Amino acid sequence: TKIPLPSVGKQGSLAGWLDGFLQPKPEEEGSDEPRDNRPSTVDDDRDPVERMFNFFFGDVEDSPQGLARFDSQRFPEQYPATKTEWAEPLPNDAESEEGPLLSYLPKRFRPMLKNTNMEERDMVLTFDASLDGWDARSFHDKLDRQGACLVVCTTKDGQVCGGYNPKGWCGYGEYRGSIAAFLFSFEAGAGRRADDRPTKLRKVGGAGLAQLDFPETAVSFGSDSLLVPLNGSRQASSKLGAYYERYEDGTNTLFKTTGSTQLKSLKVYTGVYEEGEYIPFSDAEPFALNYDV
């Protein structure tokens, strides 16, 4: 179908017509021009480029040819973690942080999951080092191929901190990337209220190396941002800046005053899926394997 070109106006050029199109003028009283050809007097808040696009191609559709548009609401984990918005608790979220395996995620931890794939999905306690053992094999036995995980550590000094791993673990020896990964820490002595809000530290330097997923080690956010190797000890270490951002005051360790510490507890929560339901990122990622392992 041919699109008829507009007639050349008094300016004597197509450019003159374009200028008039991009800057529509109010309808003149008493004009002899047919009403249908006059510029609309309806307020139009579209910018000139959008008006031009709509003129030739029609109005923008929400789902062109049935395809959903790419945005932070439909695909939240393609964007960095939010630090200003907070999720609402789900009905099954637990009041207490103490509970057996498969107990639901405590309400205190739900808000930080805003704009993640876990925001509206129930999560349960899948690994508890105090019950399952402080070793990497037990860790991978319980968590491999379970999808996104929330790691919650309590240090010997009582600090509650950890991280969100959007792609979980598989134990294949991969560098798993995700721009949506983050670390977190609650203020010491702030109490354990459901309305607490942690400090969130985003992934920096791109999505790469959000997690080092090796079968002989356990928690590894970046190569040094939060490490809990689970080699029979309760040792944890942290150095911020290369893979995850520092605190606003420049502090470069998740533990605030020390680069390493002993943990009192290590718990990991995973999503609840129906039988047969697909679990995202529950297998190897293309091009993520480290063949030197």
Side-chain angles (χ1 to χ4, degrees):
T1 303
K2 293 184 178 180
I3 299 177
L5 290 174
S7 58
V8 177
K10 294 181 180 181
Q11 299 295 326
S13 68
L14 180 60
W17 176 85
L18 287 173
D19 181 65
F21 176 82
L22 296 176
Q23 302 292 335
K25 298 178 177 57
E27 179 179 332
E28 297 180 5
E29 292 294 334
S31 171
D32 294 331
E33 186 178 2
R35 178 171 296 274
D36 290 344
N37 293 341
R38 301 181 205 169
S40 172
T41 59
V42 178
D43 290 340
D44 190 346
D45 59 0
R46 297 174 300 172
D47 61 44
V49 174
E50 187 177 359
R51 288 201 300 270
M52 178 66 76
F53 181 91
N54 292 160
F55 177 80
F56 286 106
F57 301 105
D59 291 336
V60 176
E61 301 176 37
D62 289 335
S63 300
Q65 298 184 357
L67 299 175
R69 292 193 176 278
F70 194 97
D71 60 33
S72 61
Q73 298 302 313
R74 294 186 176 94
F75 304 98
E77 293 193 351
Q78 299 299 321
Y79 296 83
T82 179
K83 299 169 71 173
T84 58
E85 299 179 84
W86 306 97
E88 294 296 325
L90 299 184
N92 285 331
D93 287 349
E95 295 289 344
S96 172
E97 293 178 40
E98 304 301 326
L101 290 173
L102 299 182
S103 57
Y104 284 104
L105 181 76
K107 286 184 178 180
R108 186 189 189 197
F109 303 140
R110 177 65 62 179
M112 74 178 86
L113 296 175
K114 180 68 176 179
N115 291 349
T116 71
N117 289 337
M118 295 293 106
E119 178 179 352
E120 297 181 358
R121 184 178 291 275
D122 282 330
M123 300 186 77
V124 294
L125 178 61
T126 305
F127 176 82
D128 184 341
S130 298
L131 300 175
D132 295 307
W134 292 83
D135 65 273
R137 175 173 293 182
S138 296
F139 179 89
H140 285 283
D141 284 347
K142 300 296 292 286
L143 296 172
D144 281 355
R145 307 184 73 169
Q146 297 300 311
C149 302
L150 184 69
V151 177
V152 180
C153 307
T154 303
T155 71
K156 64 177 184 178
D157 299 321
Q159 180 189 5
V160 178
C161 57
Y164 174 64
N165 176 3
K167 295 186 177 180
W169 290 273
C170 288
Y172 292 151
E174 294 178 295
Y175 299 131
R176 294 168 79 84
S178 175
I179 195 64
F182 63 84
L183 301 177
F184 69 88
S185 175
F186 287 90
E187 288 297 324
R192 298 196 171 207
R193 305 183 310 273
D195 60 352
D196 282 348
R197 295 294 181 265
T199 298
K200 292 173 69 174
L201 304 175
R202 288 172 168 169
K203 180 72 177 67
V204 295
L209 275 73
Q211 285 290 326
L212 277 61
D213 179 17
F214 299 147
E216 67 273 16
T217 61
V219 177
S220 182
F221 284 81
S223 65
D224 57 4
S225 300
L226 174 59
L227 305 181
V228 188
L230 293 184
N231 53 8
S233 76
R234 300 186 177 208
Q235 188 76 16
S237 62
S238 171
K239 182 179 180 182
L240 303 173
Y243 303 98
Y244 290 84
E245 64 184 346
R246 298 181 176 92
Y247 288 99
E248 288 187 358
D249 64 2
T251 298
N252 69 343
T253 169
L254 184 63
F255 309 126
K256 303 288 185 71
T257 59
T258 180
S260 64
T261 188
Q262 294 286 316
L263 299 183
K264 288 172 57 178
S265 71
L266 171 66
K267 299 180 179 182
V268 184
Y269 297 85
T270 62
V272 176
Y273 296 86
E274 298 292 336
E275 184 176 354
E277 183 180 359
Y278 172 69
I279 302 176
F281 309 113
S282 57
D283 211 334
E285 290 195 279
F287 312 111
L289 289 173
N290 173 25
Y291 295 102
D292 294 331
V293 174

